[in-house]
Amino acid sequence: MKLTMVMQSYLYDYQGGASNRVNKFHRALAGFAGQSESSNNIELIVISHGCPITKAQYRNFVEMHKPKNFSYFEVERNSQFEGSPRDIGIENAKGEYISYLDSDDMLVVNYCEKLIDAIEFWKNPKWLYFNDFIRTNTGASERKIKMEQGRIGTSNLCHRKDLFPNVRWSDLDGYGHDWGFILRLKKFGGEGVRVSSKGYVVCHIPFKMDY
């Protein structure tokens, strides 16, 4: 298997969180289930971060749609923005590469296909990164990474599984922990390869945008 997408999920309301979190969770799951890439080549791992709602809604989705390439794990919740749950996804991934999906975001239908094409074109780099898109009421606009300013997050990343455990999310807690993870990628995986946008659509920015 080439690619595993990891989704950490907490669906209760919290300050700055997206609205209608359950509906958006189903939207994210459906976006992955509808990918053009063969289900034999990609998988989604959902990690419930101390969230019974995630467990119930995940079960509802799987019973209704019966995807073959979904997996589910649970971890206790110790803090709001805790890094370590994603490590559970990486540890259990079957894919050679890891990417991430937030429960309130969207994927275009060929996102995984384009990402795998880029991995193969660049001959299996240690990690790669790309621009994402911001969803608005009128469509989506490309948002450019500014690496030197630390303006890059999980929606812009894909990395080899075998960088783990040197590159891991443990001890990277709090909002904005993405940059700490990227510094670990740089330390153990070099500068990475910048590729064209693949179709990850960000639908929520706290206190700024919520689609």
Side-chain angles (χ1 to χ4, degrees), residues 56-87:
Q57 294 301 324
Y58 175 85
R59 182 179 297 167
N60 289 344
F61 185 91
V62 169
E63 288 178 353
M64 181 176 295
H65 299 284
K66 297 179 172 54
K68 298 178 181 178
N69 53 347
F70 281 38
S71 299
Y72 173 82
F73 296 88
E74 297 178 12
V75 297
E76 294 183 0
R77 182 175 172 85
N78 297 307
S79 63
Q80 182 169 329
F81 297 110
E82 198 171 2
S84 59
R86 289 194 179 107
D87 288 340

Side-chain angles (χ1 to χ4, degrees), residues 87 90-91 161-170 184 188:
D87 288 340
I90 298 174
E91 287 182 272
K161 177 182 176 177
D162 60 17
L163 289 174
F164 185 86
N166 288 321
V167 179
R168 62 191 303 148
W169 291 94
S170 295
R184 291 179 179 177
F188 293 100

Side-chain angles (χ1 to χ4, degrees), residues 38-200:
S38 168
S39 61
N40 294 325
N41 213 20
I42 60 175
E43 66 172 346
L44 176 68
I45 295 180
V46 176
I47 305 99
S48 168
H49 190 193
C51 179
I53 299 176
T54 294
K55 181 176 183 178
Q57 294 301 324
Y58 175 85
R59 182 179 297 167
N60 289 344
F61 185 91
V62 169
E63 288 178 353
M64 181 176 295
H65 299 284
K66 297 179 172 54
K68 298 178 181 178
N69 53 347
F70 281 38
S71 299
Y72 173 82
F73 296 88
E74 297 178 12
V75 297
E76 294 183 0
R77 182 175 172 85
N78 297 307
S79 63
Q80 182 169 329
F81 297 110
E82 198 171 2
S84 59
R86 289 194 179 107
D87 288 340
I88 301 297
I90 298 174
E91 287 182 272
N92 289 279
K94 299 183 179 72
E96 298 173 53
Y97 281 82
I98 309 295
S99 192
Y100 301 93
L101 175 59
D102 283 354
S103 62
D104 51 18
D105 286 342
M106 298 170 58
L107 301 175
V108 300
V109 68
N110 60 349
Y111 172 83
C112 292
E113 180 181 356
K114 290 169 67 176
L115 190 50
I116 290 172
D117 285 346
I119 291 167
E120 294 176 346
F121 178 84
W122 289 99
K123 302 186 185 305
N124 300 310
K126 290 187 176 179
W127 68 287
L128 43 82
Y129 60 100
F130 39 87
N131 294 341
D132 53 27
F133 293 84
I134 295 290
R135 186 71 171 91
T136 67
N137 290 330
T138 58
S141 59
E142 189 169 5
R143 180 173 67 166
K144 294 184 178 179
I145 290 168
K146 294 185 178 179
M147 179 75 79
E148 65 281 359
Q149 299 177 21
R151 291 174 58 183
I152 176 172
T154 53
S155 58
N156 311 115
L157 293 177
C158 181
H159 61 85
R160 292 186 62 91
K161 177 182 176 177
D162 60 17
L163 289 174
F164 185 86
N166 288 321
V167 179
R168 62 191 303 148
W169 291 94
S170 295
D171 305 318
L172 296 175
D173 302 335
Y175 196 78
H177 56 287
D178 312 52
W179 182 242
F181 186 77
I182 290 160
L183 292 178
R184 291 179 179 177
L185 280 174
K186 285 174 168 285
K187 180 178 179 180
F188 293 100
E191 287 303 311
V193 175
R194 184 165 188 159
V195 300
S196 62
S197 305
K198 302 305 170 194
Y200 188 107

